[in-house]
Amino acid sequence: MPFRAITELLGDRRLVVVSNRAPVDVHRGVERRFVPTVGGMVSALMPVFKAAGRGLWIAWSGESSQKSQERIPLPADDPSFMLRCVQLSERDVSGSYYGLSNRGLWPLAHYFVGRCQFRLEQWHSYRHVNELFARVVLEELRPKDLVWVQDFHLATLPGLLREARRNLPIGLFWHVPFPAWAVFGILPWRRPLLEGMLGSDVIGFHVQSYARNFLACVERFLGLPVDYERGTVTLKDRQVRVVAWPIGIDAEGFETLARAPDVQLRAARIRRQLGSQQMILGVDRLDYTKGILERLQGYERFLEQSPAFRRRVTFVQIAVPSRERVDEYRRMKREIDESVGRISGRFTSDGWVPVRYLYRSVPPLDLAAHYVAADLALVTPLRDGMNLVAKEYVASRVYDDGMLMLSEFAGAAEGLPEAVRVNPYNIDDVASQIRAALTMPREESSERMRRMRARVKREDIGWWLRGFLGEFPLPSGAGATRGDTDAATLRRAVADVANH
Ligand code: ADQ
């Protein structure tokens, strides 16, 4: 149902999503293969395109080849939208994606200032890649298109598009935290980056504090008038809306999967194979921001301090490989392997294994089975824009059982106050909260889970989409053919949908 409302909302407009990575990686061997990419933004937008049955997604295909500037109908088995690949050279990828994006902006947004590397040539490369994207978007544009740029890899793209099309509706959603001005201000190119973002009509963040941080940066570094209450930046000739819309998930989809007999069977098999009474679960992209090492230390401390739980509990950590070309990520992988080895060496006994570590991407049915099987999910990032795993786990608890432990530094914590909160840096806190969660009276955990599930269902992916798309202005003139009356109608429709 929620997706139908979105297609009604879009009417005859086409949604053009622009992101750095595509929803699939294109592999060319004897024949072409598509491998789904794993990550929060892709998880969020794929169901939308599938349901809308049309639209255009412009992205880099994951390969640096001369042949990748092509259109691919997706999903391959039942196409509902078109992927237009942007061709990037090896140099572009290493300077922009592995360079400024992964080594500069990512750690900066997550407050890992000590890890930030800023090199002028990487900034040039980032600008160049944003220009390549702009060229492709302009090539593909049709009247009535809405352009929706995703994330920090393409922050200057809205500015480039605005220069070319004054009336094109442009939105930008920033999927990671937006740091406080004292941290963002470290960026040598803070001014052009902010100016580029302001090419948008509407800029979305997950939570109010990120939106406020952004406004404070605009005020301080660009000297522009901002309105914190209304969430606006005033430019010479227009206003930019700055909004907080927390991203949701396809809650109905996760619930349906969790109830499926096949998933239930798989979950029972997982439990049987573990041979322990309680199962703890972690699911992450392998990234230092996700706090996997600290989580393992917390679990180790828990086993040290609570001998009664040994042989009763198993911790399953699933980590999907990520950014393997970056040295730090390879180092972190080694450290995690060592921690898992150390915990196993210390505590394994009589056929009981305290921790199981799967270093791979798991298919949706298996992921759902793990969510169904787990008594406790540990979502303890050191910093996270939102964190969809928390919501996916909650949506899968269709009997209102199980418990969620949530870092206070994840955006998701704002909307899920019933989760067991931890400071992920405090190993003793993690250990004692694991104990508290596993021993929480059933009545209390059930009530907490019920409330969390209701919220995750209410504020799902459809709610997020309707909300964010409803913030788009739909001006008359180039780039859109309906007038302002239509914008008002659209807003009313959003309000109607939101009230139901
Ligand atoms: P990510 O940092 O990628 O997203 P997250 O929100 O947790 O983080 O999303 C990860 C997605 O990958 C989830 O849908 C999860 O199911 C999936 N996943 C993780 N490990 C997996 C595995 N081993 N196998 C299969 N699937 C796996 C960024 C921001 C987040 C923000 C999202 C969306 O960093 O803070 O929530 O974008 O805005």
Side-chain angles (χ1 to χ4, degrees), residues 2-3 47 249-260 263 364-365 368 392 395-396 398 457 460-461:
F3 297 119
I249 58 158
D250 178 10
E252 211 175 289
F254 274 93
E255 188 169 322
T256 308
L257 266 185
R259 290 187 197 279
V263 169
L365 284 185
E392 292 168 1
S396 306
V398 292
K457 277 177 84 165
D460 68 354
I461 183 69

Side-chain angles (χ1 to χ4, degrees), residues 288-349:
Y288 55 83
T289 60
K290 302 291 180 185
I292 302 172
L293 260 180
E294 292 75 4
R295 188 182 307 160
L296 283 164
Q297 287 166 7
Y299 178 64
E300 187 173 9
R301 182 67 52 87
F302 159 73
L303 289 179
E304 272 168 16
Q305 293 175 345
S306 315
F309 279 93
R310 298 181 199 160
R311 282 175 297 283
R312 271 180 53 191
V313 171
T314 303
F315 175 30
V316 179
Q317 173 67 52
I318 306 178
V320 62
S322 178
R323 301 174 195 173
E324 292 163 286
R325 273 174 57 175
V326 181
D327 282 348
E328 297 176 87
Y329 284 72
R330 285 204 297 268
R331 215 168 27 247
M332 180 186 44
K333 181 187 173 300
R334 219 175 31 246
E335 283 170 4
I336 291 174
D337 290 344
E338 285 165 8
S339 294
V340 170
R342 189 183 60 243
I343 297 171
S344 300
R346 280 187 71 187
F347 297 103
T348 300
S349 72

Side-chain angles (χ1 to χ4, degrees), residues 383-395:
R383 186 80 57 174
D384 213 334
M386 172 55 65
N387 194 294
L388 297 182
V389 171
K391 297 189 174 188
E392 292 168 1
Y393 175 71
V394 166

Side-chain angles (χ1 to χ4, degrees), residues 150-352:
Q150 307 292 324
D151 229 353
F152 62 95
H153 312 87
L154 298 172
T156 56
L157 177 58
L160 296 167
L161 295 176
R162 180 63 62 213
E163 274 171 33
R165 298 287 171 94
R166 205 169 61 85
N167 292 323
L168 176 70
I170 307 171
L172 168 68
F173 198 87
W174 189 267
H175 290 264
V176 295
F178 199 93
W181 70 262
V183 170
F184 182 80
I186 292 168
L187 179 69
W189 310 286
R190 59 196 188 191
R191 279 182 64 94
L193 197 107
L194 292 170
E195 282 161 0
M197 292 174 75
L198 290 173
S200 318
D201 294 295
V202 52
I203 304 174
F205 298 94
H206 289 303
V207 297
Q208 280 297 346
S209 57
Y210 306 161
R212 270 199 309 275
N213 287 344
F214 174 74
L215 289 170
C217 286
V218 168
E219 187 175 43
R220 179 176 282 263
F221 300 127
L222 299 183
L224 289 170
V226 304
D227 185 328
Y228 289 91
E229 283 301 304
R230 293 175 51 231
T232 53
V233 179
T234 303
L235 306 178
K236 255 196 266 98
D237 51 348
R238 61 194 178 89
Q239 274 203 335
V240 180
R241 295 263 299 130
V242 177
V243 298
W245 276 104
I247 196 168
I249 58 158
D250 178 10
E252 211 175 289
F254 274 93
E255 188 169 322
T256 308
L257 266 185
R259 290 187 197 279
D262 187 23
V263 169
Q264 296 270 338
L265 272 175
R266 279 172 205 237
R269 200 178 319 131
I270 292 168
R271 293 297 294 252
R272 232 183 4 261
Q273 282 166 356
L274 293 181
S276 47
Q277 291 162 26
Q278 289 182 298
M279 170 179 160
I280 303 177
L281 178 68
V283 177
D284 309 82
R285 258 189 329 97
L286 196 82
D287 196 287
Y288 55 83
T289 60
K290 302 291 180 185
I292 302 172
L293 260 180
E294 292 75 4
R295 188 182 307 160
L296 283 164
Q297 287 166 7
Y299 178 64
E300 187 173 9
R301 182 67 52 87
F302 159 73
L303 289 179
E304 272 168 16
Q305 293 175 345
S306 315
F309 279 93
R310 298 181 199 160
R311 282 175 297 283
R312 271 180 53 191
V313 171
T314 303
F315 175 30
V316 179
Q317 173 67 52
I318 306 178
V320 62
S322 178
R323 301 174 195 173
E324 292 163 286
R325 273 174 57 175
V326 181
D327 282 348
E328 297 176 87
Y329 284 72
R330 285 204 297 268
R331 215 168 27 247
M332 180 186 44
K333 181 187 173 300
R334 219 175 31 246
E335 283 170 4
I336 291 174
D337 290 344
E338 285 165 8
S339 294
V340 170
R342 189 183 60 243
I343 297 171
S344 300
R346 280 187 71 187
F347 297 103
T348 300
S349 72
D350 300 332
W352 169 69

